[in-house]
Amino acid sequence: MNARKPSFYVLAAAIAIACVLPFVLSNFRLFQFTQVYIYAIALLGLNMLTGYNGQISLGHGAFFAIGAYAAAIMMDQWQIGYLWTIPVAAVICLGAGILFGLPALRLEGLYLALATFSLALAAPQILKYFEHWTGGSQGIVLNKPEVPLGLPLSADQWLYFVALALLLLLFWLALNLLRGRVGRALISIRDNPIAARATGINTSLYKTLAFGVSAAYTGVAGALSAVTVAYVAPDSFNLTLSINLLIGVVIGGLASVSGAIFGALFIQFVPNFAQDISKAAPGAIFGVFLIVVIYFMPFGIAGGLQRLGAWWLRRRGSGRST
């Protein structure tokens, strides 16, 4: 119990700070932090697949797009409330992830990465083809939702709290899933699939389940993004989005739930910092940041902070013993 107290206090402090931010930040910064929470949901979903199950995906931007367009079409053409579109987008992406995960069972490693890479390449073109539904290259323009119940909040503040609430809910669900039997099965398949099968684990079932749940999380993030940005277009979901999601998972920390937050902060703010430092070559500056973080924190930011905390506790304990 005592070992969990520091983590509990850190979590409580982080949630308290997050609840205060909408009242002290500008609208632009508030929008950025809302995007951080949205990316964190997508990164958590991808981390379940890559970090916990060992399946590399370069195509999760496609599931992000499916979730975004599912929400946008329901809001624009069927006048469905934005909060109802989020669970529907999750179910649609869950089905899409399972359907893609079934044939992907025959693929591993780089072959699976290439298959998902093709998914990321095809998604924007497919979205442009169904112009009647998706608006083609022009996309779909949405209206930002009104604040309910007469709450004294702006639309941006309300959407921030919606994103924060969904983030906390989905993180809680992920923790319960990954700390139980399912999580142990996913990790055993990642570490040694032959041994996992020998112990009676249905590897096909769990790998397909991982793909479906991962896609569902990413679809929720896509739907939230559509509601927050109030606009969707095919070019917003290009290959760069998929690569950034994978970068965020690695930088935040593989097989780390908290790493999704750090990875989301990285992919949201570091490119902006790189642009401010050098408008001529922002990509080079971003690459330098990437190399530095990987070099000094090979287990990701979350892993680096955990090791730093363990070192501090050991030093503190040795100081007391002397």
Side-chain angles (χ1 to χ4, degrees):
M1 187 70 178
N2 291 334
R4 293 186 178 182
K5 281 187 177 181
S7 299
F8 174 78
Y9 292 143
V10 170
L11 177 61
I15 294 175
I17 293 172
C19 291
V20 173
L21 285 180
F23 305 104
V24 297
L25 294 177
S26 65
N27 288 336
F28 176 68
R29 291 298 180 192
L30 189 61
F31 172 78
Q32 285 185 311
F33 274 97
T34 305
Q35 288 294 106
V36 167
Y37 299 154
I38 292 171
Y39 283 139
I41 294 172
L43 293 181
L44 181 57
L46 181 55
N47 212 344
M48 289 183 191
L49 183 70
T50 301
Y52 285 91
N53 196 226
Q55 299 187 73
I56 302 174
S57 173
L58 288 172
H60 262 53
F63 297 118
F64 198 98
I66 292 172
Y69 268 94
I73 290 170
M74 284 186 283
M75 292 169 61
D76 181 60
Q77 300 193 16
W78 301 337
Q79 307 304 313
I80 296 176
Y82 64 98
L83 289 178
W84 292 106
T85 67
I86 295 173
V88 175
V91 172
I92 292 172
C93 289
L94 174 66
I98 290 174
L99 288 175
F100 188 84
L102 287 173
L105 290 173
R106 297 179 176 270
L107 304 173
E108 292 183 359
L110 294 176
Y111 298 100
L112 177 61
L114 286 175
T116 55
F117 178 81
S118 65
L119 183 66
L121 287 177
Q125 305 306 318
I126 294 173
L127 290 172
K128 292 177 183 178
Y129 182 77
F130 295 98
E131 187 172 353
H132 173 72
W133 293 95
T134 65
S137 300
Q138 301 300 318
I140 302 174
V141 179
L142 303 169
N143 295 319
K144 281 198 173 183
E146 296 181 359
V147 181
L149 305 175
L151 295 174
L153 300 171
S154 67
D156 289 331
Q157 289 173 329
W158 169 247
L159 290 174
Y160 172 92
F161 281 115
V162 170
L164 177 61
L166 280 172
L167 174 69
L168 294 175
L169 173 63
L170 292 173
F171 265 53
W172 176 77
L173 291 174
L175 282 171
N176 282 276
L177 181 69
L178 295 171
R179 287 178 176 174
R181 180 179 178 182
V182 174
R184 291 192 295 271
L186 294 177
I187 293 172
S188 64
I189 293 170
R190 178 199 67 190
D191 293 341
N192 195 325
I194 297 175
R197 283 193 293 268
T199 57
I201 294 175
N202 189 335
T203 57
S204 298
L205 173 64
Y206 281 105
K207 290 175 75 172
T208 306
L209 177 65
F211 227 111
V213 174
S214 175
Y217 267 68
T218 310
V220 169
L224 266 176
S225 178
V227 174
T228 303
V229 179
Y231 176 69
V232 292
D235 292 335
S236 301
F237 310 105
N238 54 24
L239 182 61
T240 302
L241 174 60
S242 296
I243 293 175
N244 280 339
L245 291 178
L246 187 60
I247 288 173
V249 168
V250 176
I251 291 296
L254 290 169
S256 169
V257 173
S258 62
I261 293 290
F262 299 114
L265 288 168
F266 186 90
I267 63 176
Q268 174 63 38
F269 289 109
V270 171
N272 293 333
F273 292 152
Q275 184 74 30
D276 294 337
I277 293 172
S278 174
K279 297 190 184 319
I285 303 299
F286 179 75
V288 170
F289 276 112
L290 198 59
I291 292 171
V292 169
V293 173
I294 292 175
Y295 182 80
F296 287 102
M297 296 183 177
F299 298 100
I301 298 175
L305 292 177
Q306 286 177 357
R307 282 161 177 76
L308 183 62
W311 170 84
W312 182 78
L313 288 175
R314 286 196 304 269
R315 184 171 182 179
R316 185 181 177 187
S318 62
R320 285 181 176 179
S321 63
T322 56

